[in-house]
Amino acid sequence: MPFTGWTRNSHLPVAVGSLDRGKVGNVSSAFTASALTTAPTGASAAAGKAREKSGAHVLVIGHRGASGYRPEHTLASYELAARMGADFVEPDLVSTSDGVLVARHESEIGGTTDVANRPQFADRRTTKTIDGVLRTGWFTEDFTLAELKTLRAKERIPGFRQENTIYDGRFQIPTFDEILQLCERLTEELGRVIGVYPETKHPTYFASIGKPLEPALVATLDRAGLNRKDAPVFVQSFETSNLRRLNDELHVPLVQLLEANGRPADLAAAGDPRTYADLATPAGLADIASYADAIGPDKNMVVARNADGALGAPTPLVGNAHAVNLLVHPYTFRNENHFLPANLRSTGSAVDYGNVFAEYAAFFAAGVDGVFADNPDTAVAAREAQ
């Protein structure tokens, strides 16, 4: 049956207020642990939009689903994230040759599917320049949806997540529509809202080849009845110009992603010298606040690491962002030693789990509003401990 959007009922958020841009509404407590419940302190504090500071109100965003346990960007990964307590699941969206939005970390799929083992697609292997970087492999934009559906997903980083490889070959590449249908079903089954947090991947590149992501994204949300300010949806991008355009078309909150280094691909393409570091300054954040509702920074921009790799002190970023009414959702929290600060690693190998609870505690204390987690159950447990 056609997807009609999450029905407005007692399980769903009800808007009773908004941030300055009018997109992120206050919602009922039924939206479990939602960082949307109140606006950040700062410019709007005098208007009574005080932000809850407790870690208990931090959103848990299932990064590519529960990618610590299942191959990323599969319906199985998203469903597991929801069942583990995640408030949102996060699909990265790219386009097929016939204009359908599907979930892959990148449009290059050699590392996340079995396409290299499919002789009928051997001639699709090619080299492209995407965002100024040469990439060789197989790309979603060179396949129809029907062709992509014949492929099967596999673990992207088997060296760190060997246990995930037992699921290689079991799951298809999902469409954005299928992900929304899953979230709707799980919302009804679990009795709490399961939101969706899509990212537009390489939007300048896709626009340059005549396959812009934004029209399909807007149309899908419209069709699903989710283009409204109280919908359980965030839309994110590492680029700036597409978010500015989407600000005119979407009523859901928008998130400006920030890398620790480099600059947005759209600014580079336009000859704009601004870097992510420039966007993270107080002036840059004030500009972001004119078109977005939140930032999604590399977590090292929120709590720095010392020269020895140990966890350091919080930076001013959260306070500066809250001062212009932006939420802060840093990425990415992972349990394995390899990804943790040096002083929080356990004895053993790079793939063994370390003291990620101490890392979460430091970020909750720094005042973040949400976290992108590969292991949503751990993030939920850390939140509940606050």
Side-chain angles (χ1 to χ4, degrees):
M1 61 187 295
F3 178 65
T4 57
W6 286 278
T7 305
R8 295 172 187 267
N9 59 40
S10 61
H11 293 155
L12 298 186
V14 179
V16 295
S18 65
L19 295 178
D20 290 344
R21 292 183 59 255
K23 289 190 176 181
V24 180
N26 291 350
V27 299
S28 72
S29 59
F31 192 10
T32 305
S34 174
L36 298 179
T37 49
T38 48
T41 54
S44 64
K49 298 172 182 176
R51 172 184 167 273
E52 293 287 346
K53 294 183 179 180
S54 170
H57 294 281
V58 174
L59 282 179
V60 172
I61 304 151
H63 184 240
R64 309 173 194 169
S67 53
Y69 307 108
R70 297 291 187 275
E72 65 190 30
H73 294 311
T74 59
L75 292 181
S77 182
Y78 300 133
E79 179 165 357
L80 183 58
R83 294 190 182 281
M84 285 180 162
D87 302 298
F88 285 79
V89 298
E90 188 239 3
D92 296 334
L93 299 180
V94 294
S95 181
T96 66
S97 64
D98 42 354
V100 180
L101 295 180
V102 297
R104 288 290 88 192
H105 174 49
E106 303 284 349
S107 65
E108 199 289 304
I109 54 174
T112 60
T113 74
D114 60 358
V115 66
N117 298 326
R118 302 298 186 98
Q120 68 270 36
F121 298 132
D123 62 349
R124 306 283 178 93
R125 189 172 188 269
T126 187
T127 298
K128 303 186 179 191
T129 300
I130 300 177
D131 296 347
V133 178
L134 278 176
R135 302 170 188 264
T136 297
W138 292 262
F139 298 83
T140 59
E141 62 268 26
D142 297 329
F143 292 77
T144 65
L145 177 62
E147 289 174 328
L148 285 179
K149 282 294 188 179
T150 68
L151 304 178
R152 293 297 180 269
K154 68 177 185 179
E155 173 56 37
R156 184 177 62 87
I157 49 173
F160 294 105
R161 292 174 177 165
Q162 187 276 330
E163 292 180 0
N164 287 11
T165 63
I166 67 171
Y167 299 100
D168 286 357
R170 298 185 64 87
F171 310 124
Q172 291 184 331
I173 296 174
T175 67
F176 188 35
D177 275 313
E178 289 170 339
I179 296 165
L180 295 182
Q181 291 164 9
L182 174 68
C183 289
E184 182 181 40
R185 174 173 67 80
L186 291 173
T187 290
E188 296 299 320
E189 178 183 338
L190 300 176
R192 63 183 181 85
V193 175
I194 305 302
V196 64
Y197 203 123
E199 178 187 344
T200 57
K201 295 293 292 192
H202 307 297
T204 292
Y205 165 73
F206 275 105
S208 75
I209 61 172
K211 301 184 188 303
L213 304 174
E214 294 77 18
L217 173 64
V218 173
T220 302
L221 293 177
D222 281 341
R223 184 170 62 251
L226 292 172
N227 189 4
R228 61 179 201 268
K229 69 179 182 180
D230 65 335
V233 179
F234 284 90
V235 172
Q236 55 176 332
S237 180
F238 278 104
E239 299 188 17
T240 66
S241 56
N242 72 320
L243 288 180
R244 291 181 186 275
R245 292 191 298 271
L246 286 171
N247 183 36
D248 295 327
E249 301 182 63
L250 291 179
H251 300 292
V252 303
L254 306 179
V255 184
Q256 179 66 66
L257 298 173
L258 301 173
E259 293 185 17
N261 301 293
R263 56 179 171 160
D266 61 315
L267 298 186
D272 188 321
R274 285 178 295 166
T275 65
Y276 285 113
D278 294 323
L279 299 187
T281 64
L285 293 169
D287 183 46
I288 290 172
S290 70
Y291 63 86
D293 305 272
I295 57 170
D298 181 306
K299 66 183 181 181
N300 293 332
M301 300 173 72
V302 173
V303 180
R305 294 197 186 186
N306 297 330
D308 62 357
L311 194 67
T315 72
L317 182 61
V318 171
N320 290 341
H322 286 168
V324 291
N325 217 30
L326 291 170
L327 300 169
V328 182
H329 298 166
Y331 66 89
T332 303
F333 291 82
R334 298 177 167 112
N335 290 3
E336 294 90 354
N337 280 329
H338 175 79
F339 303 108
L340 286 168
N343 61 319
L344 299 183
R345 295 171 187 164
S346 64
T347 57
S349 72
V351 304
D352 289 328
Y353 284 5
N355 189 4
V356 71
F357 287 108
E359 184 180 41
Y360 278 119
F363 280 81
F364 294 160
V368 301
D369 305 287
V371 291
F372 288 85
D374 281 12
N375 306 81
D377 55 338
T378 308
V380 170
R383 179 176 67 188
E384 291 175 347
Q386 297 303 298

